[in-house]
Amino acid sequence: DQQVKQNSPSLSVQEGRISILNCDYTNSMFDYFLWYKKYPAEGPTFLISISSIKDKNEDGRFTVFLNKSAKHLSLHIVPSQPGDSAVYFCAASVAGANNLFFGTGTRLTVIP
Amino acid sequence: DAGVTQSPTHLIKTRGQQVTLRCSPKSGHDTVSWYQQALGQGPQFIFQYYEEEERQRGNFPDRFSGHQFPNYSSELNVNALLLGDSALYLCASSLREGINIQYFGAGTRLSVL
């Protein structure tokens, strides 16, 4: 049973525009959420995270929004750059447990 | 500051064989987790080691076992390999205390023929 879902396998965006990647979860016990970026032949790289006590966290061009009532989070990248082209994974964890539950990923392509 | 390192990078085995994968955590980290990533899927949690003991385990059979050494490095062992064990195996390290941000290595690509 997939507890974290990324329903868009791929997304293409023009350079300079906004990229919005979405993630839904089913387990209401999740209280910490992370986004990872993965380039080919590399491991996932931590990008940004958010605690369930917040609804927004910003770091430079990256902003994560959390809607607990909808069990939905999104990652906004503004402005998008060609170097952002990668697979993005959403992950979640439960307090007191250290394993991460991952979505299946969204491949972002930023077109120059 | 070295990040998480894994060896080997690639491995080819045949069904029924046994394999050992190795991981060195990021400097200062005391906790190591192992994940399996099948093609087109997200990483799936196998187990986590802290203070040389398995602390948490995902939905994987006993064929998957591990070890953590006093220097915090870790090994993942898989016995009686099946074709379905072909995947990218990722090691992640973190600090036991504090927020759960895990840092990943580049992985070991295992192919079972």
Side-chain angles (χ1 to χ4, degrees):
Chain A
D1 181 32
Q2 192 76 21
Q3 299 186 54
V4 178
K5 300 177 184 179
Q6 293 176 258
N7 292 319
S8 298
S10 63
L11 174 69
S12 289
V13 170
Q14 208 70 35
E15 180 179 3
R17 305 294 290 267
I18 184 171
S19 294
I20 300 176
L21 295 96
N22 294 303
C23 177
D24 296 295
Y25 61 95
T26 57
N27 188 342
S28 58
M29 298 297 290
F30 287 146
D31 68 342
Y32 196 69
F33 304 88
L34 309 90
W35 285 94
Y36 284 84
K37 177 173 71 175
K38 189 178 186 302
Y39 293 119
E42 295 183 13
T45 303
F46 170 71
L47 202 53
I48 192 169
S49 62
I50 187 166
S51 164
S52 61
I53 63 173
K54 295 185 175 182
D55 55 17
K56 176 182 173 181
N57 188 27
E58 194 170 351
D59 183 3
R61 297 186 297 113
F62 302 91
T63 303
V64 56
F65 295 92
L66 176 62
N67 182 335
K68 289 189 292 295
S69 60
K71 294 192 178 69
H72 176 84
L73 65 156
S74 60
L75 174 68
H76 292 210
I77 306 173
V78 183
S80 300
Q81 300 173 353
D84 296 329
S85 297
V87 177
Y88 289 78
F89 290 98
C90 169
S93 67
V94 175
N98 292 314
N99 57 310
L100 297 177
F101 291 85
F102 282 84
T104 52
T106 296
R107 180 177 299 279
L108 173 65
T109 302
V110 180
I111 304 163
Chain B
D1 175 27
V4 179
T5 57
Q6 293 186 241
S7 63
T9 306
H10 295 89
L11 208 47
I12 299 175
K13 293 285 187 178
T14 56
R15 277 183 301 174
Q17 285 190 311
Q18 178 264 344
V19 68
T20 298
L21 311 182
R22 295 177 175 81
C23 172
S24 291
K26 183 177 167 67
S27 178
H29 284 182
D30 56 8
T31 300
V32 173
S33 303
W34 286 92
Y35 291 81
Q36 181 195 65
Q37 186 179 12
L39 205 59
Q41 301 297 314
Q44 276 200 295
F45 176 74
I46 303 174
F47 43 54
Q48 183 179 83
Y49 277 83
Y50 171 68
E51 289 186 336
E52 303 178 47
E53 288 190 19
E54 182 183 297
R55 300 292 179 169
Q56 212 172 333
R57 189 177 185 93
N59 188 24
F60 280 82
D62 292 345
R63 298 187 297 108
F64 290 76
S65 63
H67 190 78
Q68 186 179 35
F69 299 94
N71 68 352
Y72 306 120
S73 67
S74 176
E75 287 182 350
L76 163 66
N77 300 293
V78 187
N79 293 323
L81 284 167
L82 303 174
L83 297 179
D85 294 331
S86 296
L88 178 67
Y89 288 85
L90 294 164
C91 170
S93 73
S94 57
L95 286 170
R96 184 68 172 178
E97 300 300 323
I99 54 176
N100 185 23
I101 296 176
Q102 298 186 12
Y103 294 84
F104 286 82
T108 294
R109 173 72 62 185
L110 172 65
S111 297
V112 182
L113 306 179

